[in-house]
Amino acid sequence: MQWEVVIGLENHVQLTTQSKIFSGSSIRFGAEPNTQASPVDLALPGVLPVLNRGAVERAIRFGLAVGAKIAPQSVFARKNYFYPDLPKGYQISQFEDPVVQGGTVSFAYEKDGKLETKTVNLTRAHLEEDAGKSLHEDYAGMSGIDLNRAGTPLLEIVSEPEMRSANEAVAYAKALHSLVMWLGVCDGNMQEGSFRCDVNVSVRPVGQKEFGTRCEIKNLNSFRFMEEAIHYEVRRQIELIEDGGKVIQATRLWDPDRKETRSMRTKEDAQDYRYFPDPDLPPLVIGQDWIDRVKAEMPELPGALRARFTGEYGLPEYDSLVLTSSKAMAGYYEAVVAKAGKENAKAAANWMMGDVSSTLNREGVDIGDAPVNAAQLALLLKRIADGTISNKAGKEVFAAMWEAKSDDENLADTVIDQKGLKQISDTGALEAIVDEVLAANAKSVEQYRAGKEAAINALIGQAMKASKGKANPAQVTELLKQKLAG
């Protein structure tokens, strides 16, 4: 039997406010346990929550970016469940009438060696508070409770179940991750729990309209773990069904050491949480004037920037996609082009996607911390374009610039001079070299004149060798052709 995979994601995005969603407590990561939990976070008698305006504005910003409806009025509800790290016995969230309704996220991914694009519809994005954290590893026979995270502002973004492979799901999650960072609503730090993924996975026979029974894999904080978890869960469900078993709706955890999902608890449905409107919080009313103010402060969005890169700089679609993968990458690229000129826009894109990206990955450095700044790279590109150095020598110069970690905007020229990498472009000097090569390689000359055009490559190689790699290859080639035609 052929099976179809059905995947939907719920992403918990920690918002970049300075304080919690209903209290003034700090959300700084890494503080000593229980030092950032106020009476409101602890739900002590007599306290009242007060909604953080900054959290709402970040939700509006996200909604505008995905083309969603911003609800003119939404309601906070109490979601009742009982865990040791949830001091109130309920979580303040939104159930009916979430603040962000609908919207889409478009992304590109590779399929069978080709670049594919896909658009996934969003169901909703709602504001809520985070719970605390249970600590098990450091306590023999006991669990510790850290309530520092209790009340941390979250935007939970829920997609429709429209993804059909782990590849699509990971590409969607990466696009969403990039977007929330681009907008400044989340710092994107997955290791610190700022961006967490819950993946709902089910399978069904190809052609069947009804969904299969889903299982939710909770709190994935790595794209690699997400991909591995989906692959495992798909295999598990298919093998279970084919062996005559039945998938039970459940919440599961990914064990990265054993490379398997394991059951955490039977999956709850909405009615199990006994939602009801929070009596301490009035409805959230968002007027059009507020939406307009947020919209006026929005940055240029990735889709618009991709279109501009393609139109203004003549870049292929793939280049534009890569260069807008993050706001920092796009900003760096534009700064390079501003200094190097639009005539070098494609060369700048090639360098960004090639040497720059590979060095960043190898060194584990973000583009914003690259020791070669945009102005320095631009000068290097101009020296390659004007024939001062070859593209091959440019790679050597770039590596030296990276190691130098200097702020000198003329660093490329300094390195070129220090290493003696300037190409010989003087016609007289090159002509002398070419004459010597022709005289010493009569056989190659004879082959070329007999119609074997590839023979010129050997002559070019000899000329470059004679010049110790410093001859301008374009000029050498032109001179050889002129003399061979004479």
Side-chain angles (χ1 to χ4, degrees), residues 308-319:
R308 186 161 64 78
F309 280 8
T310 301
E312 186 175 340
Y313 300 139
L315 297 183
E317 181 184 0
Y318 179 80
D319 293 21

Side-chain angles (χ1 to χ4, degrees), residues 435 438-439 441-456 459 479-486:
D435 287 341
L438 291 175
N441 294 272
K443 185 176 181 181
S444 293
V445 171
E446 183 182 341
Q447 288 175 337
Y448 179 83
R449 287 175 170 162
K452 189 177 180 182
E453 293 188 6
I456 199 172
L459 296 171
L479 278 170
L480 281 168
K481 287 181 177 180
Q482 288 175 5
K483 290 180 177 292
L484 289 168

Side-chain angles (χ1 to χ4, degrees), residues 272-473:
D272 296 316
Y273 290 117
R274 296 179 292 111
Y275 283 96
F276 64 87
D278 193 305
D280 293 335
L281 287 163
L284 171 59
V285 177
I286 300 175
Q288 187 59 45
D289 58 338
W290 194 359
I291 296 173
D292 290 341
R293 284 199 302 273
V294 174
K295 187 174 185 179
E297 298 170 355
M298 293 273 285
E300 186 175 15
L301 297 177
L305 197 57
R306 283 195 292 272
R308 186 161 64 78
F309 280 8
T310 301
E312 186 175 340
Y313 300 139
L315 297 183
E317 181 184 0
Y318 179 80
D319 293 21
S320 296
L321 280 166
V322 174
L323 294 171
T324 56
S325 60
S326 75
K327 192 175 183 180
M329 178 72 78
Y332 188 103
Y333 171 73
E334 285 223 274
V336 172
V337 174
K339 289 282 189 178
K342 289 185 180 180
E343 65 274 15
N344 291 311
K346 177 55 179 169
N350 292 342
W351 272 81
M352 291 287 296
M353 296 186 297
D355 290 70
V356 175
S357 291
S358 63
T359 307
L360 290 170
N361 291 334
R362 184 179 67 249
E363 301 290 331
V365 176
D366 293 327
I367 186 69
D369 299 320
V372 177
N373 63 42
Q376 291 171 333
L377 180 61
L379 181 59
L380 174 61
L381 297 183
K382 289 169 79 171
R383 292 296 175 259
I384 295 171
D386 66 18
T388 300
I389 58 172
S390 66
N391 196 65
K392 181 180 179 182
K395 294 179 181 293
E396 183 179 344
V397 174
F398 177 77
M401 290 167 64
W402 187 280
E403 291 299 321
K405 295 180 174 58
S406 167
D407 293 329
D408 179 10
E409 284 199 13
N410 297 313
L411 183 59
D413 285 341
T414 302
V415 172
I416 291 168
D417 290 339
Q418 288 176 345
K419 291 183 172 289
L421 293 173
K422 280 186 179 178
Q423 291 188 130
I424 300 173
S425 297
D426 176 75
T427 303
L430 289 177
E431 197 166 359
I433 293 172
V434 167
D435 287 341
E436 289 180 12
V437 168
L438 291 175
N441 294 272
K443 185 176 181 181
S444 293
V445 171
E446 183 182 341
Q447 288 175 337
Y448 179 83
R449 287 175 170 162
K452 189 177 180 182
E453 293 188 6
I456 199 172
N457 293 331
L459 296 171
I460 294 170
Q462 288 300 315
M464 296 304 295
K465 182 179 180 181
S467 68
K468 298 180 180 179
K470 293 184 179 181
N472 186 317

